Amino acid sequence: MTASHSDSLVVLFGATAGAYGAKLGSDERELILLVWQVVDLHSKKVGTLHKSLVKADNLEISDQCREVSGLAPEGLSKAEPLDRVLQQFSQLVASDLKLLGRSSYTLCTDGQLLIRQVLHPEASKKNFLLSDCFYSFYDLRKEFHTCYPNSAPVKDQTIKSMAEYIGLETDETEEDFGVWQVKTMVAIIFSMLSETCNCRFTDPETVKYKYETGPCSKSEAVDSETVIRARGLPWQSSDQDIARFFKGLNIAKGGVALCLNAQGRRNGEALVRFVNPEQRDLALERHKHHMGSRYIEVYKATGEEFLKIAGGTSNEVAQFLSKENQVIIRMRGLPFTATLEDVLGFLGPECPVTGGKEGLLFVKYPDGRPTGDAFVLFSCEEYAQNALKKHKEILGKRYIELFRSTAAEVQQVLNRYLSTPLIPTLPTPIIPVIPPPYTIAAGSIRDCVRLRGLPYTAGIDDILEFMGDATADIKPHGVHMVLNQQGRPSGDAFIQMKSSDRAFLVAQKCHKKMMKDRYVEVFQCSGEEMNFVLMGGTLNRSGLSPPPCKLPCLSPPAYAAFQTAAAVIPAEAALYQPQALLSTTRTPQASAAAPPTVTYYPAQAAQLYMNYTAYYPSPPVSPTTVGYIAAPPAAVAAAASATHTPMLPQPGALVRMQGLPYNTGMKEILSFFQGYQLHTDSILVLYNFSGQPSGEALVTFPSLDLAKKAVAEKNGRLLGSRYIELYLV
């Protein structure tokens, strides 16, 4: 029996088959030795000193352990396993207490490592429970420093240094390993109990029995010295699994935040917040410890990173998570028409939801459209397990995925969908401007050059230096650096020259010339070819290869997303009048007089020779989100009326596909709509902000009747293994 104000201490010492001293437990080696003795704090009597070997699963002993302890595998093979040794420990301690006339006790160890880094992790891995006495203990080093404030810092203390500080004369060689340590610790305790010190053991260290879930506010102060990042986690890991990995260390309430990738799926990382820096430092010692068969990397992180993942501001989420110590399950792939009643019916009476409808939280886009995700609260593990058995069962025409989740994941998912507009907000005001004089020619005159193989660190200045005297023949705003899907330099650039002759001379003079440590290829090309490559096609000396899909190019940090009547740019950039990226729409019938695409330019990028262009497979926008463009309606209307053309020309009718497998391409969609007179130009696969498929696509049909027929006949049909939902836009 233990108590916060115990009348006895059990002085406990242990050793593993591996590291010793300050690195005890850092190598995951098993316990092989326990030595203990009961101390009566009132009568200052002691019980019998006990020493017990422990049989490890792996009998191999490190050289350091052999040298320090003198133990050998032969002796350990005849010992009892840890669970039985701990049973004997409890029985012998109870017997000694009875002889001393005492009833309660608290463990006392040399530092934190034996309890936190050895006993708790090993018991967790071997799936047996430690008795209550191992959840409360005194750290002799801390107690000694409290009693003797002028002694060495706690982290530098050892049994030998403490003994020397108070003048105890001891000889390690006279006693067996472990026995000397316990006898010396008992002598130190008696010295601390003397009248001159009058030390009282009243404030023990505690180990949390279980991890407590709970919400975290973005306004909460989080000490960066208490946060770590765990990497390499199995994707199905829950917060409880992570808490079990750090068993013995005290994680703050709601302190496990699983990280999600751009698609909202777990990426194998988590941020963990501990109650104090000391616990965080012990967690760092578990770097490359194992969770199952996988080793987990542990690094320092910051409070800012933790709040970014786990912090929330939504009152709806706070209310949902206000019911503490609930098991959270995430549901994914719900039909967009699913109601609270549908979800409760799907779960059934065998897994009742806490609070009924109040225990369900649907995740929605900012405009209120459902995302297909929901979170559910259950009051106990049994109900949650029953729910998880329904993983991949059918609701409506879709199979539903169910996973364990956390409060931090709820915050993270809601933050992602609610706090970010579907397309970036554009600068205002936006005004129509006169078409600039310097445009990318769409003809076949070969007055451009392409640079390929540029160093990724190359900038505009490097290109101008590379071209030497030929820079005088570059058209104003004529340098176009191509970025990849991640917004980084792709190694390509296009340059508009004043004439085809100048372009030919540059290509001859600069081809395979060195820039920094790389040689750069230079090809002469036309404006038409340049546009073709900016759309995603390829150009080399063998000719042109078409782009994977004909889509508008993007100009970071804003997008050319919609066709309209006139080019518009922010007012502050209008003075520079930079040219449009693409001066014509890309249709077979396009002519020089065709209306330009809408292009937005940030003022800081609208400078001479600094027009950056990026090709993406698909813009992360859809026509239904046009309301998010920060343009005054009057200004946009004025731009439209200036040329007397419709604002968004939409031939035929548009159908939205949702629930697509992420590897779906044009070929699969055309096959899905076989017989509906579609071609590749009719299909727009939508991508998210990271350039990954979003599972949605827009399909243009020749007529409204045909679009309605497709929705009626194809809605709910399978594409691959997924049910596809269709909507008229």
Side-chain angles (χ1 to χ4, degrees):
M1 179 180 178
T2 63
S4 58
H5 298 284
S6 303
D7 43 29
S8 300
L9 297 179
V10 174
V11 178
L12 182 67
F13 177 83
T16 69
Y20 174 72
K23 289 294 183 180
L24 184 70
S26 64
D27 53 4
E28 291 188 280
R29 298 303 301 273
E30 296 169 274
L31 196 71
I32 59 171
L33 175 69
L34 277 179
V35 185
W36 69 91
Q37 189 172 31
V38 176
V39 177
D40 187 334
L41 294 176
H42 299 287
S43 67
K44 297 182 181 179
K45 294 180 180 179
V46 297
T48 304
L49 191 147
H50 301 276
K51 178 178 178 179
S52 180
L53 297 179
V54 182
K55 183 179 181 180
D57 293 339
N58 181 4
L59 294 177
E60 183 181 348
I61 299 177
S62 70
D63 293 338
Q64 183 188 21
C65 180
R66 286 174 183 269
E67 182 180 347
V68 172
S69 68
L71 297 173
E74 295 75 21
L76 297 177
S77 62
K78 300 176 182 178
E80 295 285 353
L82 180 59
D83 55 344
R84 293 185 184 176
V85 169
L86 293 180
Q87 290 176 6
Q88 295 171 6
F89 166 84
S90 298
Q91 295 168 0
L92 292 170
V93 167
S95 177
D96 288 345
L97 286 172
K98 187 176 181 181
L99 291 174
L100 292 170
R102 300 299 177 187
S103 58
S104 64
Y105 69 93
T106 304
L107 298 178
C108 180
T109 61
D110 173 33
Q112 309 261 321
L113 302 182
L114 177 61
I115 300 294
R116 295 192 186 277
Q117 298 285 68
V118 178
L119 280 167
H120 277 281
E122 186 171 339
S124 177
K125 288 179 181 177
K126 294 182 176 179
N127 292 311
F128 67 84
L129 296 175
L130 292 174
S131 60
D132 290 347
C133 69
F134 292 101
Y135 288 85
S136 177
F137 66 99
Y138 289 105
D139 180 345
L140 183 58
R141 298 183 185 189
K142 288 186 177 180
E143 299 294 331
F144 185 85
H145 193 267
T146 301
C147 190
Y148 301 101
N150 295 325
S151 61
V154 172
K155 64 183 180 62
D156 298 329
Q157 298 275 21
T158 64
I159 296 175
K160 188 174 183 179
S161 69
M162 289 187 287
E164 290 175 349
Y165 186 84
I166 59 177
L168 285 177
E169 295 184 3
T170 59
D171 186 358
E172 289 186 62
T173 60
E174 293 182 359
E175 303 283 357
D176 290 341
F177 178 72
V179 174
W180 176 85
Q181 281 80 358
V182 169
K183 285 186 175 181
T184 305
M185 290 169 69
V186 171
I188 292 170
I189 291 170
F190 283 155
S191 175
M192 294 166 60
L193 293 173
S194 64
E195 293 182 2
T196 55
C197 294
N198 195 27
C199 176
R200 296 181 179 274
F201 291 84
T202 57
D203 189 18
E205 301 284 319
T206 58
V207 179
K208 286 189 175 183
Y209 282 87
K210 65 177 184 178
Y211 167 66
E212 297 177 275
T213 61
C216 176
S217 170
K218 280 191 180 295
S219 60
E220 189 173 338
V222 177
D223 184 359
S224 290
E225 296 300 313
T226 63
V227 183
I228 63 93
R229 179 182 294 272
R231 182 177 296 161
L233 300 165
W235 68 270
Q236 71 273 31
S237 298
S238 67
D239 54 349
Q240 297 296 338
D241 295 323
I242 295 168
R244 186 175 181 182
F245 175 80
F246 289 109
K247 186 69 175 175
L249 306 180
N250 293 340
I251 298 174
K253 183 177 179 180
V256 177
L258 293 163
C259 301
L260 307 181
N261 61 18
Q263 289 74 48
R265 299 175 185 271
R266 295 171 189 171
N267 65 2
E269 295 188 9
L271 292 168
V272 185
R273 177 188 178 192
F274 294 90
V275 295
N276 56 44
E278 180 184 33
Q279 304 286 308
R280 194 283 301 267
D281 291 342
L282 292 175
L284 291 172
E285 291 296 325
R286 300 198 188 182
H287 179 59
K288 293 198 173 180
H289 281 205
H290 288 76
M291 180 185 286
S293 60
R294 304 186 64 164
Y295 72 81
I296 308 302
E297 299 172 78
V298 182
Y299 303 100
K300 291 181 180 180
T302 66
E304 183 181 357
E305 289 176 299
F306 182 82
L307 286 175
K308 184 177 179 181
I309 298 298
T313 56
S314 168
N315 291 331
E316 184 183 16
V317 176
Q319 185 176 359
F320 177 75
L321 297 174
S322 62
K323 301 178 179 65
E324 297 181 355
N325 298 320
Q326 300 288 311
V327 184
I328 305 174
I329 297 296
R330 181 180 180 183
M331 302 180 71
R332 192 165 62 200
L334 292 168
F336 297 114
T337 56
T339 64
L340 293 170
E341 291 77 10
D342 293 333
V343 175
L344 292 174
F346 172 80
L347 294 170
E350 64 272 21
C351 30
V353 177
T354 301
K357 294 181 180 180
E358 293 181 0
L360 277 170
L361 179 66
F362 283 106
V363 183
K364 298 179 180 180
Y365 289 109
D367 58 0
R369 290 184 299 118
T371 65
D373 278 27
F375 293 95
V376 191
L377 295 178
F378 296 99
S379 60
C380 65
E381 186 65 31
E382 179 186 355
Y383 295 158
Q385 287 289 352
N386 289 341
L388 290 172
K389 292 176 183 177
K390 296 180 179 290
H391 180 58
K392 292 198 173 181
E393 287 190 9
I394 300 296
L395 173 58
K397 294 181 179 180
R398 302 192 67 170
Y399 72 82
I400 309 302
E401 298 173 291
L402 291 95
F403 308 95
R404 288 182 175 277
S405 188
T406 67
E409 185 174 17
V410 176
Q411 297 279 24
Q412 195 177 167
V413 171
L414 267 292
N415 288 346
R416 176 165 295 174
Y417 283 114
L418 292 178
S419 64
T420 306
L422 299 184
I423 62 172
T425 302
L426 304 174
T428 57
I430 295 175
I431 61 172
V433 297
I434 301 170
Y438 306 110
T439 58
I440 298 176
S444 58
I445 299 174
R446 300 174 65 79
D447 58 353
C448 303
V449 291
R450 179 186 184 185
L451 276 59
R452 188 170 68 184
L454 295 168
Y456 295 117
T457 57
I460 300 294
D461 292 340
D462 297 309
I463 292 175
L464 298 180
E465 182 181 350
F466 172 81
M467 295 187 65
D469 295 338
T471 55
D473 298 317
I474 301 175
K475 286 184 179 180
H477 310 288
V479 178
H480 306 267
M481 296 191 69
V482 183
L483 308 182
N484 63 19
Q485 294 182 15
Q486 287 73 45
R488 299 187 180 95
S490 67
D492 279 23
F494 284 93
I495 300 174
Q496 291 177 270
M497 307 301 293
K498 291 181 178 178
S499 69
S500 58
D501 293 339
R502 297 298 182 183
F504 174 79
L505 291 174
V506 170
Q508 294 297 315
K509 179 181 177 182
C510 297
H511 184 56
K512 295 199 174 180
K513 181 180 171 182
M514 297 296 292
M515 180 186 294
K516 297 185 179 180
D517 58 342
R518 301 187 65 171
Y519 73 84
V520 178
E521 297 176 284
V522 182
F523 308 104
Q524 185 181 9
C525 65
S526 66
E528 183 180 26
E529 291 169 331
M530 181 169 76
N531 273 312
F532 201 81
V533 173
L534 293 179
M535 293 182 235
T538 58
L539 168 67
N540 51 39
R541 295 190 181 274
S542 302
L544 287 166
S545 297
C549 53
K550 297 180 179 179
L551 296 169
C553 296
L554 308 178
S555 180
Y559 303 105
F562 307 105
Q563 293 180 335
T564 188
V568 292
I569 66 172
E572 63 269 25
L575 296 176
Y576 295 98
Q577 294 191 356
Q579 78 282 12
L581 287 178
L582 298 174
S583 58
T584 61
T585 55
R586 281 169 284 148
T587 62
Q589 296 79 21
S591 66
T597 57
V598 175
T599 308
Y600 299 95
Y601 289 82
Q604 64 269 25
Q607 299 175 15
L608 190 64
Y609 300 131
M610 292 191 68
N611 185 21
Y612 288 79
T613 302
Y615 167 73
Y616 287 76
S618 173
V621 298
S622 72
T624 58
T625 62
V626 68
Y628 285 93
I629 296 179
V636 178
S641 62
T643 53
H644 310 288
T645 56
M647 184 63 189
L648 290 172
Q650 296 280 343
L654 202 61
V655 171
R656 187 188 198 94
M657 302 180 72
Q658 292 182 327
L660 293 169
Y662 292 111
N663 59 352
T664 301
M666 298 284 183
K667 182 179 178 181
E668 288 77 17
I669 295 176
L670 287 172
S671 177
F672 183 79
F673 286 115
Q674 187 174 5
Y676 283 88
Q677 306 172 28
L678 299 180
H679 48 83
T680 55
D681 287 342
S682 306
I683 299 168
L684 179 66
V685 178
L686 299 182
Y687 289 69
N688 57 29
F689 287 116
S690 64
Q692 301 297 319
S694 66
E696 299 188 7
L698 296 172
V699 183
T700 303
F701 286 81
S703 67
L704 180 61
D705 291 339
L706 203 58
K708 288 181 177 179
K709 180 182 177 184
V711 172
E713 293 180 353
K714 295 291 186 178
N715 186 38
R717 295 285 184 90
L718 281 170
L719 176 56
S721 60
R722 303 289 299 267
Y723 290 99
I724 306 303
E725 298 186 30
L726 304 176
Y727 304 95
L728 277 173
V729 177

